[in-house]
Amino acid sequence: MNPMLNLWLIPILPLAGAAINGFLGKKSSRAAVTIVALFFSGAALAWALWVAMRFSSLALPYHEYLVHWIRSGNFSVDFAFYLDQLSLVMLLVVTGVGFLIHIYSVGYIWEDPSYYRFFSYLNLFMFFMLTLVLASNYLMMFIGWEGVGLASYLLIGFWFTKDSAASAGKKAFIVNRIGDFGFLIALFLLIKHFGSLNFDQVFQSITPLGAETAGAGLLTTIGILLMVGAAGKSAQIPLYVWLPDAMEGPTPVSALIHAATMVTAGVYMVSRSHVIFERAPIALTVVAIIGTLTAFFAATIGIAQTDIKKVLAYSTISQLGYMFMACGVGAFSAGIFHLMTHAFFKGLLFLAAGSVIHAVGGEQDMRKMGGLRSYIPWTFLTMGIATLAISGIPPLAGFWSKDEILWKAYQVSWLYWLIGLITAFITSFYMFRLLFMTFFGDYRGARVDEHGHGSHGHDEHGHGEPHESPMVMLAPLMILALLSLVGGLVGIGNGFEHFLAPVFGTSEVAEAAGRGTELLLMGVSVVVALLGWLLAYWLYCVRPELPQKIGDSLDGLYEAVVHKYYIDELYAAIFVRPLINGSTRILWQGVDRKIIDAAVNDAGDGARHVSDEVRHMQSGNIRSYAGWIAAGSAVVIAFMIWMGVR
Amino acid sequence: MSFHLILFLAFGAVCVGGAVNLLAQRHPINSALSLIAVMAALAGEYLLLGAEFVAAVQVIVYAGAVMVLFVFVIMLLNAGEEEETKGSHVAFLLGVPGVLTGSVLTAWVMVRHSGTEAVAIGALPGHPTDIAQLLFHDFLLPFEVTSVLILIAIMGAVVLASKPEATARKVD
Amino acid sequence: MVPLSYYLVLSGFLFACGVIGFLIKRNIITIFMSIELMLNGVNLSFVAFAAHWHALAGQVFVFFVMVVAAAEAAVGLAIIIAVYRTRETLNVDQVNLLKL
């Protein structure tokens, strides 16, 4: 029997923080708001660590029932929590990285007048994300799913007075909703065919079923629909378009939500549903293909971007593609491993980018940066570590996880491996391009005077020169850098995979090719990463005039890449504009004005006209009154006689 | 053709004639006199039915007091012949046909269902003592209430018909 | 022997005449007299039924009808006088201020 761990505290503590800051924060001092926000998110982290310490003594999976929710016939869903190795990993990542980003935000958002609102939203996001991760049934997961979408909308549109920020928030939420539609249909199918949404019951019902190799069946449909939901939340093709726009939000938001936690919810959901996917090979293939294509596609866009945050956004999409590729080849634990390491180095990259932006007074265009490594050495050091990690240079974290994915992919098909390898090359290239453009060469930016100018000038204290960030922002950077350095070592000797084995089963993919091939492939990927580094070095440090010439010569293709292959314009033409037109012309002017308004107005007009006619009865002439009475009584008499005669 | 029937028809003819004449006359005084004739004939009918007391009361109260009141008011107000003003269409188009249909239907029903049971001449035991018994024992409350009603009617009539200055002075 | 239905038909006829008089006459006093005619018709009906069923209570009811008719005539004529004083007319078609 398990001791009561009170898991419910972990989501509820940030919720309390959100409520306190949300309702009382406006009148409180910044210090009070900070203490509340940090206390509650820190308390959640502390509790999560305490749970982790007791983890080995638990009988897994651990269930905690809070209160019953829906009871309808045979279908019942409760507010209940669930803990196993997978949710423990997610829990620690979310609370740990989340808390670090809370600390960082204290420094980043200090100047903003809506300081309290930011932390209220941030805590609210933690609540929903933790609900998602700790849920023991799909419906609670869906609550968390929707809730993080809401928090994302609120935080992307944090500076809502800016049109672009408000639109970006809307875009994120709407595109998410499209994915959620698929998720919901999958839930309905689960309810219909398995009568429950609880993980235990559903997976127990599904386990005895055989794999659907013959063709698409129920499990394939559910799998593909779940993938639609994941594609929306985790920004895969075709629903990735919201993530680059989401960079309108403050940088800590980008770090927490769009790098480390929310976008990984899709990967978590797919991994949690591995029982379904393992029995639906077609759905798995779809997942793998989407992941691989997205990884490659986003990486190519990242080459040509000039906004530092946009590069990181496309990099996130690309890395998420890797995770889905891993899930798609059945290597779920590899996907989760990459999720964890990605949280470290991508979170670090975003926070460091925020530090850079803070240093140059709000400028985000890399063409106006350069040579910053002498001004902001600590930021440079941590960002450099993160860049090494994401490029897959050993022995940093990214190498272990990315290599694990490539190895497992190779065992299923060399094509996945090849595309993944090329993408790794491109990744290394554009990350080092970012590093060189930002920190090396000469400083191309404007002197920061009284007010920092730049397209995103939120940071407005001028000090004349780029300056290092305060310690409250640097400390999380250093901790995350440390994690990026050593975080991957848990993967040595398949340690991580063994840890997650009780969830996913051991050796999901047969070790077909053996140890030697694995080492060979490892070597190849390291070489490829180094090649990307070299190419970036040559193009941006040695011969900085070359990129422009290459871009000019590739003209049309280059333009397409810079404009993200015009996908946003395509969506606007196919989906957005017809919808808006249809809504305006048909629904608003046609249905709302002509039918509904007309019905109501005509009802009123009709009543008025009828009474206009009827009022003539009241003529004031008693003879006409008597006439009406006589006629009426004749009718009544006739009726009574008729009734009597019958 | 019994004597009873002849008398009934005679009195009935006077009733009918008086009623039609009331409708036909233009001057109200003529209508009032027709009405008196109707009431007298009705008193005759009552006698035929054996309700002597009612017949007497009819003549004394109805024809003697109420109709006299009517005649006095016609005199007082100098009511002249009726003018031809534009009346109400409803009254003619709806009301008259309505009342005609209603009464025809009722009469038809009554004739069909009440059969040919005859009422003997003088059938009612109209002894005043019995009536008094009923009136002062079983119907005592309505009797007293009607006396109050008459009192109220008197007061109302006096107030309504008095000259305005007269009432004003009384109020002061 | 006169059948009961004859009395009832006569009573109905008087009542119908009263209603028609109410409808087609324009002088208010004549209208009042039509009302009295109606009441008389009803009285006849009462007495006829009382005779038919040998129930004395029918006659007693006739008294009450007469009393009420007398009271109503008194008050009604007083009202007519009051209205005549202000409106100077006995024509009901001209007393039609209570209209919409």
Side-chain angles (χ1 to χ4, degrees):
Chain A
M1 208 45 229
N2 280 324
M4 177 64 145
L5 288 177
N6 285 319
L7 278 183
W8 58 274
L9 273 178
I10 302 185
I12 293 295
L13 283 168
L15 180 65
I20 295 177
N21 269 337
F23 293 124
L24 303 174
K26 195 158 185 175
K27 306 275 176 56
S28 316
S29 69
R30 283 203 162 78
V33 170
T34 312
I35 291 175
V36 167
L38 289 183
F39 170 71
F40 282 104
S41 55
L45 171 64
W47 201 267
L49 286 173
W50 181 78
V51 166
M53 283 198 299
R54 308 187 94 82
F55 190 72
S56 48
S57 63
L58 288 174
L60 295 167
Y62 166 85
H63 292 101
E64 183 174 306
Y65 167 84
L66 198 57
V67 68
H68 91 265
W69 184 15
I70 302 179
R71 294 257 194 276
S72 165
N74 286 336
F75 176 67
S76 78
V77 162
D78 300 321
F79 288 118
F81 295 106
Y82 183 89
L83 191 67
D84 64 357
Q85 289 86 348
L86 175 61
S87 25
L88 183 71
V89 169
M90 296 293 301
L91 178 68
L92 289 175
V93 166
V94 170
T95 47
V97 176
F99 183 61
L100 287 174
I101 294 181
H102 273 78
I103 300 179
Y104 178 90
S105 308
V106 171
Y108 195 82
I109 301 286
W110 188 263
E111 305 289 324
D112 197 291
S114 296
Y115 186 73
Y116 75 98
R117 191 158 57 92
F118 185 80
F119 280 101
S120 176
Y121 290 162
L122 213 60
N123 273 353
L124 188 70
F125 167 80
M126 293 290 289
F127 161 67
F128 281 121
M129 189 70 202
L130 289 167
T131 308
L132 194 160
V133 161
L134 288 172
S136 86
N137 55 69
Y138 275 107
L139 198 55
M140 249 186 100
M141 186 198 260
F142 191 66
I143 296 179
W145 191 270
E146 292 291 322
V148 295
L150 169 72
S152 168
Y153 161 79
L154 289 171
L155 284 164
I156 295 175
F158 181 67
W159 290 304
F160 54 83
T161 46
K162 223 163 56 129
D163 265 345
S164 53
S167 303
K170 266 190 295 181
K171 184 172 180 179
F173 196 73
I174 294 175
V175 175
N176 257 218
R177 283 304 269 168
I178 300 177
D180 294 344
F181 179 63
F183 194 173
L184 266 178
I185 308 272
L187 291 186
F188 295 153
L189 284 173
L190 280 174
I191 297 179
K192 176 150 198 293
H193 289 275
F194 301 105
S196 167
L197 287 178
N198 296 316
F199 290 149
D200 285 337
Q201 282 172 276
V202 170
F203 297 148
Q204 260 170 22
S205 314
I206 297 185
T207 311
L209 299 176
E212 292 178 1
T213 43
L218 172 70
L219 292 177
T220 313
T221 317
I222 296 180
I224 294 184
L225 286 168
L226 286 176
M227 185 57 203
V228 169
K233 186 66 72 186
S234 301
Q236 299 295 292
I237 293 175
L239 297 172
Y240 69 91
V241 291
W242 62 273
L243 192 63
D245 283 37
M247 298 297 117
E248 293 281 343
T251 311
V253 171
S254 308
L256 178 63
I257 299 185
H258 307 126
T261 44
M262 184 182 102
V263 291
T264 57
V267 182
Y268 169 69
M269 186 261 279
V270 169
S271 306
R272 180 58 79 196
S273 315
H274 68 96
V275 175
I276 301 177
F277 281 101
E278 280 162 358
R279 284 157 186 72
I282 300 181
L284 265 187
T285 317
V286 168
V287 172
I289 293 180
I290 291 182
T292 319
L293 279 178
T294 309
F296 177 68
F297 178 77
T300 55
I301 301 183
I303 307 176
Q305 297 302 312
T306 51
D307 183 324
I308 188 171
K309 284 179 71 172
K310 288 268 174 28
V311 175
L312 294 176
Y314 283 105
S315 169
T316 304
I317 301 176
S318 178
Q319 297 300 311
L320 287 167
Y322 269 113
M323 295 179 218
F324 280 106
M325 183 192 340
C327 295
V329 297
F332 296 100
S333 58
I336 299 295
F337 188 25
H338 197 58
L339 189 158
M340 185 174 82
T341 57
H342 177 262
F344 299 149
F345 56 67
K346 191 49 69 62
L348 174 57
L349 277 171
F350 267 110
L351 293 185
S355 184
V356 167
I357 297 172
H358 174 95
V360 297
E363 179 59 64
Q364 285 183 232
D365 192 331
M366 290 191 293
R367 294 172 294 196
K368 301 210 180 73
M369 300 180 193
L372 289 176
R373 74 177 186 278
S374 49
Y375 294 107
I376 46 177
W378 281 108
T379 308
F380 167 63
L381 179 65
T382 50
M383 197 154 194
I385 294 178
T387 311
L388 288 172
I390 192 175
S391 305
I393 311 285
L396 282 82
F399 162 71
W400 301 103
S401 55
K402 195 184 290 192
D403 224 72
E404 183 76 14
I405 296 177
L406 289 176
W407 166 234
K408 298 283 189 213
Y410 179 79
Q411 290 169 344
V412 172
S413 160
W414 61 269
L415 188 60
Y416 289 143
W417 173 80
L418 185 62
I419 300 182
L421 193 69
I422 298 176
T423 310
F425 168 69
I426 302 177
T427 306
S428 172
F429 169 67
Y430 67 66
M431 286 312 302
F432 279 104
R433 163 180 179 262
L434 187 151
L435 199 69
F436 292 136
M437 276 179 84
T438 312
F439 292 103
F440 289 78
D442 300 317
Y443 182 54
R444 299 180 288 275
R447 290 284 140 192
V448 180
D449 303 315
E450 286 307 310
H451 296 282
H453 28 78
S455 49
H456 306 274
H458 306 116
D459 183 25
E460 296 187 345
H461 43 237
H463 294 276
E465 280 191 352
H467 57 288
E468 186 63 273
S469 307
M471 195 54 180
V472 71
M473 285 165 68
L474 282 183
L477 292 183
M478 292 187 225
I479 298 179
L480 283 173
L482 187 65
L483 284 171
S484 302
L485 276 172
V486 304
L489 297 177
V490 296
I492 296 184
N494 289 334
F496 199 74
E497 190 182 332
H498 288 319
F499 179 67
L500 287 180
V503 183
F504 294 127
T506 48
S507 58
E508 309 101 345
V509 182
E511 302 270 325
R515 199 88 187 118
T517 322
E518 189 177 351
L519 286 173
L520 177 65
L521 294 179
M522 255 196 245
V524 171
S525 52
V526 172
V527 165
V528 153
L530 290 173
L531 278 178
W533 186 354
L534 276 174
L535 183 63
Y537 181 70
W538 188 53
L539 280 181
Y540 289 96
C541 285
V542 176
R543 303 278 294 276
E545 73 283 359
L546 263 188
Q548 188 61 32
K549 285 207 213 124
I550 299 179
D552 288 336
S553 65
L554 285 178
D555 197 36
L557 184 63
Y558 181 71
E559 280 300 304
V561 172
V562 168
H563 286 109
K564 312 160 276 167
Y565 300 111
Y566 301 108
I567 294 285
D568 275 325
E569 288 79 359
L570 188 70
Y571 281 176
I574 298 182
F575 298 113
V576 178
R577 255 199 300 267
L579 261 178
I580 294 183
N581 281 341
S583 180
T584 310
R585 273 199 236 114
I586 301 178
L587 289 179
W588 176 38
Q589 286 164 352
V591 173
D592 195 36
R593 280 233 199 110
K594 292 211 186 96
I595 299 182
I596 298 179
D597 280 354
V600 171
N601 288 339
D602 284 349
D605 279 343
R608 197 151 35 88
H609 287 136
V610 165
S611 67
D612 245 354
E613 298 305 313
V614 171
R615 77 172 169 93
H616 290 298
M617 252 177 69
Q618 296 282 339
S619 56
N621 189 331
I622 55 174
R623 285 164 61 207
S624 75
Y625 296 162
W628 283 109
I629 293 175
S633 56
V635 170
V636 171
I637 291 174
F639 179 70
M640 282 169 54
I641 291 177
W642 180 61
M643 293 294 281
V645 164
R646 263 187 344 122
Chain B
M1 238 354 199
S2 68
F3 192 52
H4 187 188
L5 188 59
I6 295 175
L7 280 177
F8 170 80
L9 286 174
F11 284 127
V14 175
C15 279
V16 167
V20 172
N21 193 35
L22 184 146
L23 296 178
Q25 290 296 328
R26 298 257 282 280
H27 201 296
I29 195 66
N30 296 336
S31 305
L33 293 173
S34 317
L35 190 56
I36 295 178
V38 169
M39 288 179 179
L42 270 182
E45 294 281 358
Y46 293 153
L47 281 174
L48 278 179
L49 283 167
E52 304 96 11
F53 194 61
V54 174
V57 170
Q58 164 97 345
V59 170
I60 297 173
V61 169
Y62 239 133
V66 173
M67 288 319 297
V68 167
L69 191 60
F70 266 102
V71 169
F72 272 154
V73 169
I74 293 174
M75 260 177 25
L76 178 66
L77 298 181
N78 224 353
E81 288 212 352
E82 274 199 349
E83 307 119 30
E84 292 282 332
T85 56
K86 228 176 81 104
S88 148
H89 293 180
V90 171
F92 282 116
L93 295 173
L94 267 185
V96 172
V99 75
L100 284 177
T101 29
S103 45
V104 163
L105 276 174
T106 322
W108 171 75
V109 165
M110 282 195 291
V111 166
R112 260 181 58 128
H113 289 279
S114 55
T116 52
E117 303 99 41
V119 180
I121 189 166
L124 257 181
H127 208 272
T129 334
D130 301 324
I131 296 178
Q133 273 280 43
L134 263 183
L135 201 56
F136 291 113
H137 275 152
D138 299 329
F139 294 107
L140 183 58
L141 180 60
F143 180 75
E144 299 296 336
V145 168
T146 43
S147 30
V148 174
L149 177 70
I150 295 176
L151 175 65
I152 295 171
I154 294 172
M155 292 195 314
V158 165
V159 167
L160 279 169
S162 65
K163 289 222 173 61
E165 313 89 57
T167 37
R169 237 187 299 125
K170 282 205 188 71
V171 169
D172 289 341
Chain C
M1 301 307 230
V2 178
L4 176 66
S5 47
Y6 285 26
Y7 282 102
L8 297 180
V9 168
L10 178 61
S11 153
F13 181 81
L14 288 176
F15 187 86
C17 282
V19 176
I20 293 180
F22 191 112
L23 288 170
I24 66 178
K25 286 292 180 183
R26 265 166 251 114
N27 193 319
I28 185 64
I29 301 181
T30 317
I31 291 180
F32 248 91
M33 289 195 282
S34 317
I35 296 177
E36 296 297 328
L37 186 57
M38 281 193 250
L39 286 165
N40 273 290
V42 167
N43 277 350
L44 178 62
S45 182
F46 269 122
V47 177
F49 274 118
H52 179 68
W53 286 322
H54 300 280
L56 225 48
Q59 282 191 49
V60 173
F61 204 80
V62 169
F63 287 134
F64 291 127
V65 172
M66 281 190 204
V67 165
V68 170
E72 167 225 344
V75 174
L77 290 169
I79 291 178
I80 290 174
I81 293 176
V83 168
Y84 183 78
R85 282 222 191 88
T86 50
R87 305 292 289 159
E88 297 291 325
T89 179
L90 285 174
N91 191 336
V92 287
D93 288 337
Q94 289 171 355
V95 185
N96 59 353
L97 283 179
L98 276 179
K99 65 177 170 191
L100 285 180

